[in-house]
Amino acid sequence: MKQYLVILCLLVTLIACKDHAPLTHTKTHGLITQQAMVVSARKEASQIGSDILKKGGNAFDAMVATELALAVAYPYAGNIGGGGFMVYRLHTGETGALDYREKAPMAATKNMYLDSLGNVVPHKSTVGPMAVGVPGTIAGVFASHKKFGSLPIEDIIQPVIELAERGVVVTEMQEERLKYFQPYFQEVNPNGTVLTGNWKSKDTIKYAALAKTLKAVMIGGDDEFYKGETAKTLAKFIQEQGGIIIEEDLARYEAKWRKPITFEYDGLKITSMSPPSSGGICLAQIMKMIEPYDLDLFGHNSLKTIQVLAEAERRAYADRSHYLGDPDFVNIPQEDLISSEYLIERMGDFSFEQATASEDISHGKVDIIESNETTHYSIVDQFGNAIAVTTTLNSGFGSKLYCPELGFFLNNEMDDFSSKPGVPNVYGLIGAEANSILPEKRMLSSMTPTIVEKDGKLLMTLGTPGGSTIITSVLQTILNVHEFKMTMQEAVNAPRFHHQWLPDEIRMEPNRFEKGLIKQLESKGYEINEERSPVIGIVDGILIQEDGSLEGGADPRGDDTAIGF
Ligand code: GLY
């Protein structure tokens, strides 16, 4: 892991040098187009999505194409063996959300990751067949297409199949990643995976087995994946490896349309993901807590701005741990949690003089391991529809378990449940009873696909990977545009920080904040950690400019690319 972090640190230093120019002088813009745009983690996926729009498809057609193309071009997080969330805003102004999060298999039990003494068995929820949740991605893309799609599914999936057959060129970042993950692939898949080998940048990797699976799904629809030959092969494979997912788990899976979280902030209307993601509620809590403060006067990443944000984040994450879980299984006091009365009271003990101690907010003990192993894409179409989608295998390449016959990696999303109260997951997030394991329950997420409106019109669609740092990265990007008048690209590029209640520290991207500022924060009782997270979030967003044109913000922290017309 250390070597991987060193590479990330070097990349971050390069990014830091790139945008050290004062933001108030010459404006840095991302790609500007007049009609439509896709911003995603790989140029191949953005291109396929944009081509679908150009053919006359809408944002939902492009969603299917981009999602599946990411499964080919970005197997680190793009997937058909995982799940995700979509938030949308139609050109009419109607908003909604789609939940295609993985769920626990029917044979799952509350204590399935504990040994006979009640201790968590290391790696059981993160690596290999027992870590796998029932995948939701194929159900998600078909639900999106059935409800809103306009092009025939063959026209959408065929270009993705061709991409998988033609192959995808390895980037420099991918070369480092593949090198790092080889021992993990080997440990879980002694017979190899499509990514096993000494891959170098500029090599082309072909995904023949995945192309075959996508073809079967294109012909047989989501029923092929959940009830057909693909389902039989997948369930048999997982069981042979020692897992507990059976055919009936796949047959019973369904994506769910949800009512998103909607709230107001300083004249903006913000729509984000509802439970089983914590993203929307947590974002609403933080933004309602910071709303009374004049952040624009305090300045971007100034002492006071950082204090206000960190204190609001601390309080919101404490609530996240306690209250949130799958809304089909637990009662979430949603309205109370985002009510102004509650949140004003919650910030009542904040003072600019001295940091609040997290132990005075609530209880708990967590350790944190940062991760950027999810992926996000944003789409605006020529009809004025907008979507924000975040999708994941959880960790990089998920459970590392690869089904050779079907050609894809399987998630390790079961680790997003709370295996045992007080024991953190890979993101260091502590869970409570609300997020305990039950058969067919969906695990809590931090994914925060978000759409922002101003004066009744679409302003922005955005989101990011980053585990527990997703919510605070989305927050800072919105504030960068709204409060600090940055362009979309500047807002994405800007240095980020993060507080998540416990451990009681502000994480900062290394070497991107002035040493004097850090000293001032320390003198007020804040602990600063610049080592934990080489990058915080990889944000992809689209901003509608005043003249109606679109500006893409593709994060240089990854290979992310905006393409449109
Ligand atoms: N697996 C990361 C998340 O859902 O937040």
Side-chain angles (χ1 to χ4, degrees):
M1 186 56 129
K2 240 189 195 154
Q3 192 192 6
Y4 191 51
L5 290 182
V6 170
I7 295 157
L8 275 172
C9 283
L10 282 173
L11 285 169
V12 169
T13 311
L14 284 176
I15 295 159
C17 295
K18 241 166 63 179
D19 75 356
H20 255 171
L23 295 169
T24 44
H25 297 152
T26 328
K27 288 276 183 192
T28 303
H29 287 93
L31 176 73
I32 294 182
T33 66
Q34 298 308 314
Q35 295 188 53
M37 192 181 290
V38 180
V39 191
S40 82
R42 283 291 301 233
K43 72 170 188 286
E44 293 83 353
S46 298
Q47 185 68 60
I48 283 184
S50 173
D51 290 348
I52 291 294
L53 297 175
K54 199 135 211 196
K55 265 193 211 167
N58 63 24
F60 301 92
D61 298 316
M63 177 265 184
V64 178
T66 308
E67 178 98 18
L68 297 180
L70 283 168
V72 177
Y74 193 60
Y76 179 63
N79 67 83
I80 62 171
F85 297 105
M86 171 173 75
V87 169
Y88 67 83
R89 179 185 186 275
L90 302 182
H91 64 96
T92 56
E94 180 190 325
T95 56
L98 179 64
D99 161 7
Y100 55 99
R101 181 72 162 163
E102 301 92 324
K103 64 176 188 177
M106 288 183 297
T109 57
K110 185 173 175 181
N111 295 332
M112 64 189 278
Y113 297 115
L114 306 185
D115 64 18
S116 56
L117 299 176
N119 298 317
V120 173
V121 179
H123 311 305
K124 197 173 174 187
S125 67
T126 53
V127 179
M130 286 301 287
V132 183
V134 182
T137 296
I138 292 294
V141 297
F142 275 87
S144 170
H145 185 256
K146 276 175 203 158
K147 185 157 177 169
F148 293 118
S150 64
L151 294 182
I153 198 79
E154 295 77 18
D155 291 7
I156 298 170
I157 300 186
Q158 185 58 34
V160 182
I161 295 172
E162 285 164 20
L163 174 70
E165 286 168 345
R166 197 167 61 240
V168 182
V169 176
V170 175
T171 66
E172 282 176 25
M173 275 191 205
Q174 205 182 1
E175 175 185 330
E176 295 306 329
R177 234 172 228 163
L178 290 176
K179 201 185 295 168
Y180 171 78
F181 279 100
Q182 289 304 320
Y184 296 92
F185 295 155
Q186 180 60 28
E187 188 189 324
V188 182
N189 310 277
N191 295 328
T193 76
V194 69
L195 297 177
T196 301
N198 186 20
W199 296 104
K200 298 277 176 228
S201 73
K202 301 199 176 63
D203 287 349
T204 297
I205 305 180
K206 295 188 179 185
Y207 297 88
L210 181 55
K212 212 168 135 225
T213 301
L214 289 172
K215 197 171 225 165
V217 167
M218 181 176 78
I219 295 165
D222 46 349
D223 269 359
E224 166 58 29
F225 190 88
Y226 290 100
K227 294 177 182 159
E229 280 308 310
T230 303
K232 287 190 177 47
T233 306
L234 182 57
K236 183 166 171 276
F237 170 74
I238 294 174
Q239 284 163 51
E240 279 168 3
Q241 302 299 311
I244 55 172
I245 292 178
I246 59 172
E247 280 179 46
E248 200 184 340
D249 283 310
L250 293 163
R252 287 170 66 91
Y253 186 86
E254 51 184 24
K256 296 191 176 188
W257 294 98
R258 304 265 186 205
K259 186 169 181 281
I261 300 291
T262 300
F263 62 96
E264 306 272 333
Y265 170 85
D266 192 28
L268 302 178
K269 180 182 166 205
I270 298 177
T271 303
S272 193
M273 194 61 218
S274 43
S277 181
S278 60
I281 290 183
C282 220
L283 183 66
Q285 285 196 301
I286 297 169
M287 294 195 87
K288 299 304 276 182
M289 280 190 266
I290 65 177
E291 196 173 21
Y293 299 88
D294 290 323
L295 298 185
D296 52 344
L297 299 182
F298 296 166
H300 175 247
N301 282 352
S302 66
L303 177 67
K304 281 186 153 180
T305 295
I306 293 176
Q307 281 186 273
V308 171
L309 264 61
E311 293 295 346
E313 289 167 10
R314 180 200 309 279
R315 288 159 174 80
Y317 275 80
D319 281 352
R320 177 200 192 277
S321 296
H322 190 72
Y323 293 108
L324 303 187
D326 183 343
D328 296 338
F329 286 74
V330 294
N331 226 341
I332 300 171
Q334 196 164 300
E335 296 312 318
D336 290 343
L337 284 173
I338 60 175
S339 74
S340 298
E341 298 74 40
Y342 171 68
L343 293 168
I344 287 168
E345 191 193 313
R346 197 88 169 109
M347 278 295 264
D349 57 352
F350 162 60
S351 147
F352 281 110
E353 299 311 313
Q354 184 67 30
T356 309
S358 281
E359 64 186 25
D360 294 341
I361 300 278
S362 193
H363 303 287
K365 182 182 178 313
V366 271
D367 190 18
I368 289 182
I369 301 162
E370 170 51 5
S371 156
N372 278 301
E373 298 153 345
T374 295
T375 191
H376 175 86
Y377 56 95
S378 291
I379 301 178
V380 175
D381 70 19
Q382 61 275 34
F383 312 108
N385 303 304
I387 61 167
V389 183
T390 314
T391 178
T392 190
L393 288 165
N394 193 23
S395 299
F397 305 103
S399 63
K400 320 298 181 274
L401 182 64
Y402 174 81
C403 178
E405 202 174 331
L406 299 174
F408 60 88
F409 285 92
L410 288 149
N411 69 82
N412 63 346
E413 218 71 61
M414 290 297 286
D415 187 60
D416 271 353
F417 279 117
S418 168
S419 295
K420 183 182 175 183
V423 177
N425 70 1
V426 288
Y427 302 103
L429 288 168
I430 193 165
E433 201 52 42
N435 189 33
S436 63
I437 306 171
L438 281 174
E440 300 201 274
K441 189 176 174 186
R442 279 145 144 100
M443 52 297 277
L444 188 62
S445 169
S446 296
M447 293 193 275
T448 314
T450 299
I451 289 179
V452 184
E453 288 170 53
K454 190 176 177 183
D455 301 329
K457 291 195 208 128
L458 177 66
L459 179 69
M460 213 187 310
T461 161
L462 77 162
T464 178
S468 51
T469 68
I470 289 176
I471 300 158
T472 54
S473 298
V474 168
L475 164 77
Q476 287 168 84
T477 309
I478 297 172
L479 296 177
N480 288 349
V481 170
H482 180 69
E483 299 282 359
F484 307 119
K485 309 300 173 219
M486 293 185 200
T487 67
M488 189 76 237
Q489 191 62 58
E490 289 166 348
V492 163
N493 291 0
R496 290 191 277 265
F497 61 92
H498 171 80
H499 198 302
Q500 65 171 44
W501 173 48
L502 291 169
D504 191 350
E505 64 183 19
I506 300 177
R507 278 192 267 167
M508 289 179 159
E509 289 184 313
N511 305 317
R512 301 205 67 195
F513 291 80
E514 299 284 340
K515 294 291 167 228
L517 174 68
I518 291 175
K519 282 216 165 69
Q520 281 180 301
L521 283 163
E522 284 171 341
S523 73
K524 289 182 181 293
Y526 293 95
E527 192 171 321
I528 306 299
N529 188 333
E530 284 189 284
E531 281 166 17
R532 185 89 72 163
S533 305
V535 300
I536 295 181
I538 302 180
V539 179
D540 284 343
I542 302 171
L543 176 69
I544 316 303
Q545 305 195 107
E546 270 172 24
D547 66 0
S549 60
L550 314 180
E551 189 209 346
D555 204 321
R557 293 164 179 85
D559 290 320
D560 301 46
T561 309
I563 296 181
F565 53 89

